[in-house]
Amino acid sequence: YNKRYKNSSRKNYIIIVTLVLSLVSALRHNGVGVDTYAYYMTFIDSKDLPWSYIWENIHSFFQGAMIKDPGYALFTKIMGTILFDFNVYLFFVALFFLSAIGHILYKSVNYLFGYVISYSFYISLLYGFFPNSAIRQTIAMAFLLWAIIIYQNKHQKLIPVVFIVFAFLLHKSVLFGLIPLCLMFIKNTQLIYKGAIVLMPLFFAVSFEFVELLILLSGAEHYMQYIEGEGGTSVVFIVEMCFFYLIGFSALKYINNNSDYYQRLAFIAFALAISIISFMRVDPSLQRLIAYFSIWGMVFLPNALYAHKPLLRKILIVCVLALCIGRTVLIPSPYKFFWQQMELHDRYDRMYRYY
C-alpha cells in the first residue's frame, strides 16, 4: 500500500507540474523569448501554405538542397489545421516536450523531493528557451526523447527511427542529442564521466575554432552570427553546471553497465555538457546546443545528490536549491501574459513593437 501511495504521489506531482508549466508557456505574450513572435507569424502563414510546396521542399532537402528545416513547415501545417489557435499550439508544444521529461523522471528518479530538485534545475537553466523561445528545437528534442522512451519501453526500432528522422527535418542540431546514445555502448560510464575533466580545458582552448568548424559543416550561413559577434559568457550558468558536475563524483560508484538506462544516459550526457561548456564564451546563445546534454541534468542531479550520506546530502541540496532559485530570482526571464502589454525584441520592425 505504501509503495502504491508513493508511486501515486510521484505521478501526481509530475502531472501537476507538467500541466502548470505547459499552461504558463501557452499563456505567454509573443514578446516572451526572442523567437516567439517569429513563430507566431510562421504559424499564421502556414495555414495558407500549399501542401505541394511543403512536400517538394522535403523532397529537395533529401536530394541535397540547402533548405532550412523543411519539417517545421509540415508540422505547423498539420498543427494549424487541427488546432487553429497559436496559444493552443504553444500548449501542445510544451506538453509534448514536458510529458516526455516527466515520463523519464518517473522511471529514473525514485524520490518525490528529487522532482523538486529536477524542476528547480529545469526552471533555472532551461525553461526560458525549452519551450519558451526555441520552439523548433523544443519539438525536435521532444521527438528525440519520445524515440528513446518508445525504444526503451517497446524495444522496437521503426517508430524511434521515424521520430529521429523527423526531428532532423525540424532541427538538424538534434544529431548532437544522439551522441550520448552512441556513448552508451561504452561500458565504462565512469571513464566517460571523468573524461570531461580532460576534455573541458581542451575545448576551452579551441572553442572558437571548433564552433566555426561546426558551422561550416552545417552549411548554414545564418549561424555565423555566433562567431562574428563580440562573444561573452554566462558565468553563473557555467559555475552552476561545474558545481553540479562535482556533486556527481560520489555517485559514480553506483553507476555501471547494469544501472538504470536513463541514469547512465544522464551521467554521460551531463559529462558532455561540461566538456563543451566553454562554447558559451563564443556566444551565450550556444547554451541551446549544450541543452541537448544539460537537459539530462534533471535526471542526473537528484540521483547524484541522493548518492551522498544524509548530512552531506542535506547541505548539498540547500546549496543546489539556493543556486537554482537564486539564479531565477536574480536573473529572471522577462515574462508577460498574452493579454498584457510587452515590447517585442529589437529584431522586429517598429510597427510591430507593441502588440
Side-chain angles (χ1 to χ4, degrees), residues 187-195 251-256:
K187 294 183 179 181
N188 195 336
T189 305
Q190 296 186 21
L191 178 64
I192 298 172
Y193 191 83
K194 294 175 181 177
L252 279 181
K253 57 186 174 184
Y254 302 110
I255 303 297
N256 53 55

Side-chain angles (χ1 to χ4, degrees), residues 137-155:
Q137 191 176 351
T138 299
I139 301 167
M141 187 66 174
F143 272 108
L144 174 61
L145 292 175
W146 279 114
I148 295 171
I149 291 168
I150 292 170
Y151 179 76
Q152 274 300 103
N153 290 351
K154 306 296 183 181
H155 299 289

Side-chain angles (χ1 to χ4, degrees), residues 39 51 86 106 109 112 141 180 188 190-191 207 210 252 272 285 303 312 316 330 333 353:
Y39 282 114
W51 286 100
F86 183 63
Y106 182 74
V109 178
L112 181 60
M141 187 66 174
N188 195 336
Q190 296 186 21
L191 178 64
S207 54
F210 195 82
L252 279 181
L272 288 171
S285 59
N303 282 298
L312 180 57
L316 289 174
L330 295 176
S333 299
R353 185 63 55 81

